[in-house]
Amino acid sequence: MHLFLGFLASSVLPLALASNLTTVPDDLGPYPISITLHILQTSRNDTLAPTPQLRRLLLNTYAPVFAPDFACPSQTNIPYMPPFTLSFYDTQLSTSYGVPPGSIYRLRLQNCTSPPSSPVTAAKAPLIIFSPGADSSSYQYQTYLSAIASSGFTVIAIDHTYDAAIVEFPDGTIAFNNYPPEQSNGTTAQQDYINGDVLAPLRVADVQSVLDAVEQGGIAGLEGFVEGNGTKVEAGVMGHSLGGTTAILAAATDERVVGALAMDGTLVGEVLNKTVKVPVFIFESEGSVTSGNRVGPSFNASWANWESSKEWVFINGTAHDSFTDLVVAADLLDVRGALPPASGQVIGTIGGARMTSLVWRWGVGFFGKVLKGQEEGSFFHDPSIEFPEVNIVRSNL
């Protein structure tokens, strides 16, 4: 379960906040980015849906814009989330965590709307697919995804329908989480089965549907990723919590996945016994290390099955949801002081800007190596100078 849970409320922007907007920075890399929404209709039956239907996915693509002098001629600020999704999370933040109502409405993202001077291709901006945590929305990770895209990667973020807390489609359809009751009310064994053997394989199938669509030229703006019939697309997969399990399971399942980056989640289910032949990188939070939970032991149990280069680090001052935008938003909106003391167990004490820099540098370093053939930074071997808060647990680079 994640911090961002709640109930649907009014989606009207509080007028008092309309003139006090805050732009989420996305310029850690050299390129402006374009954010586009896609709907992917699959031919798969949706086993999570409350009624019989084919599975439909909401995708957000964060792509670098290759413009002269790295400048975007036409840039707009867009809302952080669509209206009902925004209201959904605003209600939970205010009622459960004491954040002033309407704070999240102030957030804006920079979106380069100018057509690129050259198309996005696999060679210029290789593909990363992102899977969020259980019961979570990909919108909760936009700071990190935008930063990685700004360094020359195309990031497709999946909202896993009836798995995310809320998925708001452009036609007005709202799909709420529809987990089996055992996922929240069952025994640990039942929860592990649902997460590891039901939800994670379903998410991997979603990743494969996205890869298929890219290969078939079915995602607008990414037609340059295919050079002809039969072209196989290579991609990295990145995820948080259950999304991290998804990333590693996808790497073990589909040869098109050439690297997996997992952020702070217990590995459960079939992924524990899967052989992974491509590079793996693991972020763990200090909260997971100090709480004595099953995150670390699950990594140790799987370590021998990862046959390529691999590294596992933990970050001081972090908690599970430090890997979401919440830690960034708390600082941008200046509401960290309004959070209860226990919030440190949720988002940690690390600053939002520092956390963004960490995920960006290490994410770009890892995927730069597996997707572009670049050398990873020296901090992968010795982080003490640039990143003293990062501790290497195990490494075989």
Side-chain angles (χ1 to χ4, degrees), residues 114-315:
S114 297
S117 57
S118 61
V120 174
T121 65
K124 296 185 68 174
L127 181 62
I128 299 170
I129 297 177
F130 178 79
S131 179
D135 201 22
S136 298
S137 167
S138 70
Y139 287 109
Q140 296 169 234
Y141 303 85
Q142 295 191 88
T143 301
Y144 304 137
L145 304 184
S146 296
I148 291 173
S150 74
S151 288
F153 295 88
T154 301
V155 182
I156 299 179
I158 304 175
D159 274 316
H160 299 282
T161 316
Y162 300 113
D163 177 331
I166 178 174
V167 177
E168 180 179 346
F169 290 98
D171 64 4
T173 302
I174 306 292
F176 291 101
N177 176 284
N178 194 46
Y179 281 166
E182 294 84 2
Q183 203 278 339
S184 56
N185 300 321
T187 64
T188 298
Q190 288 175 319
Q191 292 174 343
D192 286 353
Y193 172 76
I194 296 297
N195 288 331
D197 296 302
V198 176
L199 296 178
L202 176 65
R203 284 164 165 248
V204 170
D206 288 347
V207 170
Q208 293 175 308
S209 290
V210 173
L211 289 171
D212 292 343
V214 173
E215 288 181 346
Q216 295 161 11
I219 298 183
L222 301 186
E223 295 87 354
F225 274 73
V226 292
E227 299 177 356
N229 293 335
T231 301
K232 294 294 184 183
V233 171
E234 290 188 342
V237 180
M238 174 182 180
H240 175 230
S241 196
L242 183 57
T245 297
T246 303
I248 295 174
L249 184 58
T253 303
D254 196 304
E255 63 181 9
R256 294 172 294 184
V257 178
V258 296
L261 188 154
M263 301 188 292
D264 203 45
T266 304
L267 303 180
V268 294
E270 63 180 85
V271 72
L272 287 168
N273 299 312
K274 290 286 189 178
T275 298
V276 180
K277 297 182 179 296
V278 299
V280 173
F281 183 82
I282 300 288
F283 276 125
E284 185 180 9
S285 71
E286 182 183 14
S288 294
V289 174
T290 58
S291 66
N293 64 22
R294 298 183 299 153
V295 174
S298 74
F299 295 157
N300 275 318
S302 301
W303 187 262
N305 298 328
W306 303 339
E307 297 181 347
S308 185
S309 62
K310 51 194 173 182
E311 185 160 85
W312 163 16
V313 305
F314 81 86
I315 308 173

